[in-house]
Amino acid sequence: MESTKSLPPLRVLLVEDSEDDAELLRLELRRVYKLSMDRVESAQAMQRALNDQEYDIVISDHVMPRFSSTAALAVLKASGKVLPFIIVSGTIGEELAVAAMKAGASDYVLKGNLARLLPAIEREVADAEVRRRAEHEAKESEERFRATFSQAAVGIAQVAPDGRWLRVNQRLCDIVGYSEAELLGKTFQDITYADDLESDLEYVRQILADEIRTFTMEKRYIRKDGTLVWINLTVSLVRAADGSPKYFISVIEDITRRKATEAQLMHLATHDHLTHLPNRSLLQDRITQAIAHAERAERQMAVLFLDLDRFKNINDSLGHDVGDKLIIVLAERLRGIVRGGDTVARVGGDEFVLVITELQYETQAENIARKVLEVLAEPEVVDGTELFLCGSIGISLYPRDGRDCHTLLKNADAAMYRAKEAGRNQFQFFTQEMNANAVHRLTLENELRHALEREEFSLHYQPQIDLANGAVVGMEALLRWHSPTRGMVPPAEFIPLAEESGLIVPIGEWVLRTACAQNKAWLNAGMQSLRVAVNISARQCRLNSLTKLVERVLADTGLDACHLELEITESLLMDNPEESASTLRDLNQMGIQLAIDDFGTGYSSLSYLKRFPIHTLKIDQSFVRDITTDPDDAAIVKAVIAMARSLKLRVVAEGVETVEQLEFLRAHECEGMQGYYFSKPMPTEQFAPWLDQWQGV
Ligand code: C2E
Ligand code: MG
Ligand code: MG
């Protein structure tokens, strides 16, 4: 007998009433298998065997006295075991064979042709093994899927094509606050936020129509408690073999927190941090919307541009905290003026824009502007100090003054400037003439650009008198522009423009150089030793570069520092007090005199000026003008002189035109004076002759 050791094992359950036939089969199979075989001939026996043992295959006779292959197939099926089932029969017709195969038999073999049996068994056993493995894997993956499904960190659901929830996992239940049972009784439409339903259904339509394979969208569900939850939804469709839609697989991610962060970022990007009012970018949106709306409704709308007057001074003298508090209070008040659909935006430190929609009459915009001025004027106590604000407002109207956001803003801005020029604390409607003004400014700027190279500038000199002895102690260099087309243009008209355009830098350098060179020339020519005062404008240059420029100019011209005085406005110091203080210390160290020009027009207190190494205060001519008639101005001038003296500062009064003014100032021991009473500013060549004939006062 051959060794059976190397043969593959085969466990057979044989359904057969004849022991002889069984023996035949056993012999046949033993040749190629290490065989174990049980024979049964009744349903009960077969059931028992299947229960107790594991088999690789069932081989069954076709017809038996108390059993049949058909009945045996039923027993096998009922047992839940999946085994190949081969019918071995003495007689079996073609029809019966087909019926048996339909009932689930794997094959049939005629008893007279057992040679066919072996390959059939071999094939069936191999197939069964493959099937078993596949089933095992499917089962495993099903289990894996189940685990993933239920424990997933995202919501997962199967949804019927009509929207019914077929299967939902725990995470989804958590997200929407419904139990699984509750959810299975609903559709996704039931819990979708109304605003998001339309786009969702459109996606569903497209995916059903096979236009897209999957879609992702952000939408809101309504939770059981009525609150909304933002989710990210990804949907794909599973189709049956015939292509008909079976169900959707939806993956649902709770993105409420991300949405909140996004909303926060959005808010930050579109709102002013201090007041939470819309900022410039959101304002532009709102204006554009308002325009569209006004166009449809055939209404007007108004843009009010509000700029606070001298707000910078509050910041500078009282500190930014106080300034901030005032701005917050003001924002609140402005919001109170407008209706829900209107906008109040903060577009700069002290600039606000109001967008008023649904205007029927111009007067409505006017009323709002008046209200704005009123709320500005309401006193506000901050840190124990009662403060008032005032501002200038420019108004532009849609459609009259512009049909787009840019034009409306620009024109409201132009009108605001006009309000400032007209004396502040008022409002102005935009007019086309303001546009003309802008054009005028543009051409002026162009001409100014060429004025330097064409040598159209010159300096005039105005003497400064020491009241103690009537002697001339210095002269102020004042810029003049002889425009070939405009004639003499006063500095007040072109210096602000030169500042805005940056032209003030080369112009200012020219002034400094010319004044120093001239003074040096006069000294060389034997004129008495005088100090020349040069105006430095607020935006002329960064202060630190000023030191270098002055150094260079003095070196180039050979003028001694003691013969130069710089006139600086308060605002220049206040713009950047720290940097100013250090620059002024440098200039002071160089031996240059420093004067504060136009003193009294700004907010700075004298005590504040102590921080700067200043020698002279020039009282603005607006106070001097009325000292003999206006008691307030008289009081101010007296106070300034007294305080300046206590700070050991020299005081120079500007704009002295009459002998009465002179006497008043002399009585109050003002030291220096400048004004038409002594002399107007003179062209260079007239100055020395004037000085020669000067008799003193
Ligand atoms: P400011 O520095 O306060 O100069 C004094 C102004 O008062 C000068 O006007 C002068 O002509 C005028 N003035 C002098 N005495 C009298 C008087 O008795 N009555 C009246 N009504 N006015 C008097 P100006 O020359 O038109 O200059 C105006 C302003 O332009 C100057 O004011 C100064 O701020 C600026 N400015 C002039 N030249 C320069 C310059 O070279 N650079 C810079 N940055 N600014 C300059
Ligand atoms: Mg001056
Ligand atoms: Mg002045």
Side-chain angles (χ1 to χ4, degrees):
M1 207 175 192
E2 280 176 69
S3 155
T4 57
K5 277 206 181 109
S6 57
L7 298 177
L10 183 72
R11 297 164 300 178
V12 175
L13 177 61
L14 180 66
V15 184
E16 174 66 76
D17 60 325
S18 153
E19 178 51 34
D20 289 350
D21 286 354
E23 190 51 30
L24 265 177
L25 194 63
R26 206 173 274 131
L27 286 173
E28 184 70 20
L29 293 178
R30 280 225 167 100
R31 295 197 298 124
V32 283
Y33 292 107
K34 186 181 158 218
L35 184 73
S36 65
M37 189 163 93
D38 296 323
R39 184 177 68 85
V40 294
E41 49 188 308
S42 71
Q44 292 90 326
M46 182 179 176
Q47 271 161 9
R48 222 174 305 123
L50 284 170
N51 256 342
D52 297 350
Q53 294 288 328
E54 290 295 326
Y55 298 101
D56 299 312
I57 193 165
V58 180
I59 298 174
S60 173
D61 193 2
H62 189 40
V63 212
M64 293 156 279
R66 289 177 293 144
F67 209 18
S68 73
S69 62
T70 334
L73 262 173
V75 171
L76 175 62
K77 223 180 227 174
S79 78
K81 300 214 164 164
V82 185
L83 294 174
F85 188 102
I86 295 179
I87 300 171
V88 181
S89 171
T91 54
I92 186 168
E94 213 48 42
E95 257 164 62
L96 275 174
V98 171
M101 301 296 281
K102 271 194 178 156
S106 317
D107 203 355
Y108 80 92
V109 176
L110 282 173
K111 278 187 180 169
N113 189 9
L114 276 186
R116 248 203 79 219
L117 182 62
L118 283 176
I121 290 175
E122 202 175 319
R123 188 189 67 233
E124 289 307 322
V125 169
D127 280 3
E129 178 61 23
V130 169
R131 250 196 324 274
R132 206 173 35 247
R133 228 178 268 153
E135 262 161 31
H136 177 74
E137 269 163 25
K139 208 166 143 205
E140 256 199 345
S141 80
E142 166 71 11
E143 266 160 19
R144 253 202 317 273
F145 173 72
R146 242 174 233 291
T148 328
F149 186 79
S150 55
Q151 293 156 21
V154 290
I156 304 176
Q158 279 180 7
V159 182
D162 64 3
R164 275 175 303 113
W165 300 102
L166 298 175
R167 214 171 148 189
V168 296
N169 74 345
Q170 189 52 46
R171 181 71 188 116
L172 178 58
C173 295
D174 294 345
I175 292 174
V176 293
Y178 285 104
S179 72
E180 183 177 349
E182 286 170 330
L183 213 48
L184 292 184
K186 295 186 180 300
T187 62
F188 78 80
Q189 295 92 324
D190 290 338
I191 65 162
T192 294
Y193 183 57
D195 287 3
D196 301 333
L197 191 57
E198 195 182 320
S199 51
D200 197 351
L201 290 176
E202 171 56 19
Y203 276 129
V204 167
R205 186 197 66 71
Q206 288 179 20
I207 206 170
L208 286 173
D210 218 4
E211 291 167 17
I212 51 173
R213 319 221 71 189
T214 124
F215 69 84
T216 296
M217 70 180 293
E218 289 180 359
K219 61 179 264 189
R220 284 155 290 186
Y221 282 148
I222 310 160
R223 306 183 83 241
K224 190 180 177 185
D225 64 10
T227 57
L228 295 181
V229 55
W230 269 105
I231 57 124
N232 185 65
L233 172 70
T234 305
V235 175
S236 50
L237 178 63
V238 176
R239 290 180 184 274
D242 65 0
S244 62
K246 238 169 126 183
Y247 54 82
F248 297 111
I249 294 195
S250 301
V251 177
I252 295 126
E253 209 182 331
D254 183 347
I255 53 166
T256 307
R257 199 176 304 155
R258 195 189 86 206
K259 275 282 170 188
T261 317
E262 265 175 27
Q264 226 174 337
L265 284 178
M266 191 61 162
H267 186 89
L268 283 179
T270 52
H271 289 78
D272 165 50
H273 301 192
L274 183 64
T275 60
H276 300 293
L277 291 176
N279 65 10
R280 189 177 284 274
S281 85
L282 184 54
L283 170 70
Q284 283 167 349
D285 256 27
R286 295 274 176 90
I287 294 182
T288 309
Q289 271 171 28
I291 289 174
H293 182 83
E295 194 174 6
R296 276 196 305 275
E298 295 189 4
R299 286 285 168 88
Q300 302 188 68
M301 61 157 277
V303 173
L304 276 70
F305 202 113
L306 163 67
D307 187 287
L308 301 183
D309 295 333
R310 304 203 169 95
F311 184 72
K312 210 178 164 326
N313 295 323
I314 291 188
N315 267 336
D316 291 340
S317 48
L318 301 171
H320 282 273
D321 286 353
V322 172
D324 285 357
K325 279 182 195 159
L326 271 180
I327 289 287
I328 291 169
V329 169
L330 176 62
E332 215 33 68
R333 289 182 188 166
L334 290 177
R335 238 193 304 245
I337 293 178
V338 301
R339 286 170 310 184
D342 298 341
T343 297
V344 179
R346 184 174 181 221
V347 296
D350 57 357
E351 291 172 340
F352 295 84
V353 170
L354 284 74
V355 182
I356 312 298
T357 55
E358 293 274 342
L359 272 194
Q360 246 170 321
Y361 310 106
E362 247 181 76
T363 48
Q364 286 171 281
E366 198 173 318
N367 289 340
I368 301 240
R370 274 186 220 290
K371 270 197 217 145
V372 170
L373 293 177
E374 271 168 35
V375 300
L376 277 171
E378 281 170 30
E380 176 67 25
V381 179
V382 179
D383 296 346
T385 315
E386 194 171 61
L387 296 168
F388 306 85
L389 290 171
C390 64
S392 307
I393 302 171
I395 308 171
S396 66
L397 295 173
Y398 168 90
R400 194 191 71 190
D401 303 329
R403 295 181 156 271
D404 62 89
C405 171
H406 174 76
T407 311
L408 286 171
L409 271 177
K410 191 189 73 186
N411 290 344
D413 191 46
M416 183 276 290
Y417 268 104
R418 182 52 62 88
K420 275 212 193 296
E421 280 168 18
R424 301 170 193 258
N425 197 26
Q426 53 178 284
F427 63 86
Q428 289 276 335
F429 277 93
F430 173 78
T431 61
Q432 285 307 321
E433 170 265 327
M434 292 176 191
N435 238 342
N437 207 35
V439 173
H440 169 79
R441 282 166 64 103
L442 207 65
T443 43
L444 186 68
E445 187 183 317
N446 261 333
E447 292 176 24
L448 202 52
R449 238 170 246 291
H450 296 114
L452 251 190
E453 53 198 60
R454 293 182 190 150
E455 299 185 1
E456 292 166 10
F457 289 119
S458 72
L459 289 184
H460 283 199
Y461 295 91
Q462 186 178 38
Q464 228 180 61
I465 319 293
D466 185 342
L467 263 192
N469 54 17
V472 175
V473 291
M475 60 279 183
E476 178 173 5
L478 293 159
L479 185 57
R480 297 291 176 260
W481 178 23
H482 310 265
S483 157
T485 51
R486 299 167 193 276
M488 264 287 271
V489 187
E493 247 176 62
F494 68 85
I495 290 207
L497 202 64
E499 288 184 335
E500 269 172 45
S501 59
L503 285 168
I504 194 68
V505 175
I507 295 176
E509 178 169 351
W510 179 87
V511 171
L512 184 67
R513 199 171 281 281
T514 309
C516 289
Q518 184 58 55
N519 201 17
K520 180 67 182 170
W522 277 326
L523 287 168
N524 289 348
M527 199 171 87
Q528 74 174 97
S529 156
L530 296 177
R531 199 164 44 223
V532 67
V534 173
N535 292 284
I536 302 296
S537 94
R539 277 175 254 181
Q540 184 160 341
C541 52
R542 306 261 311 157
L543 273 167
N544 53 13
S545 60
L546 181 63
T547 319
K548 292 216 174 59
L549 175 66
V550 170
E551 245 167 7
R552 208 166 53 234
V553 169
L554 289 180
D556 292 351
T557 57
L559 186 73
D560 198 290
C562 71
H563 289 126
L564 178 63
E565 179 170 31
L566 298 180
E567 292 191 6
I568 294 158
T569 56
E570 287 169 65
S571 56
L572 176 66
L573 299 185
M574 299 309 179
D575 276 349
N576 201 339
E578 300 312 320
E579 194 187 334
S580 307
S582 94
T583 306
L584 294 193
R585 268 194 300 275
D586 291 347
L587 290 168
N588 182 43
Q589 227 125 53
M590 287 163 61
I592 289 161
Q593 293 281 306
L594 298 166
I596 298 290
D597 205 352
D598 304 342
F599 185 77
T601 55
Y603 255 76
S604 53
S605 59
L606 273 175
S607 60
Y608 193 75
L609 289 178
K610 268 198 293 196
R611 305 167 53 179
F612 305 104
I614 293 181
H615 310 96
T616 304
L617 281 190
K618 297 186 77 176
I619 302 178
D620 191 65
Q621 49 177 282
S622 60
F623 299 106
V624 175
R625 190 178 304 128
D626 298 322
I627 35 173
T628 53
T629 52
D630 184 335
D632 284 348
D633 283 348
I636 290 171
V637 171
K638 278 195 276 186
V640 170
I641 295 173
M643 286 191 287
R645 190 169 308 121
S646 76
L647 290 169
K648 305 204 163 38
L649 295 175
R650 202 172 140 249
V651 182
V652 174
E654 292 185 305
V656 179
E657 295 184 353
T658 66
V659 68
E660 289 81 16
Q661 291 165 342
L662 168 76
E663 290 312 330
F664 178 97
L665 292 162
R666 202 205 291 271
H668 292 94
E669 299 182 52
C670 174
E671 291 143 289
M673 283 192 210
Q674 206 183 317
Y676 294 172
Y677 180 74
F678 312 102
S679 167
K680 289 200 167 187
M682 295 166 272
T684 316
E685 65 282 3
Q686 287 175 21
F687 189 76
W690 176 87
L691 193 60
D692 278 345
Q693 56 76 52
W694 174 244
Q695 307 277 310
V697 279

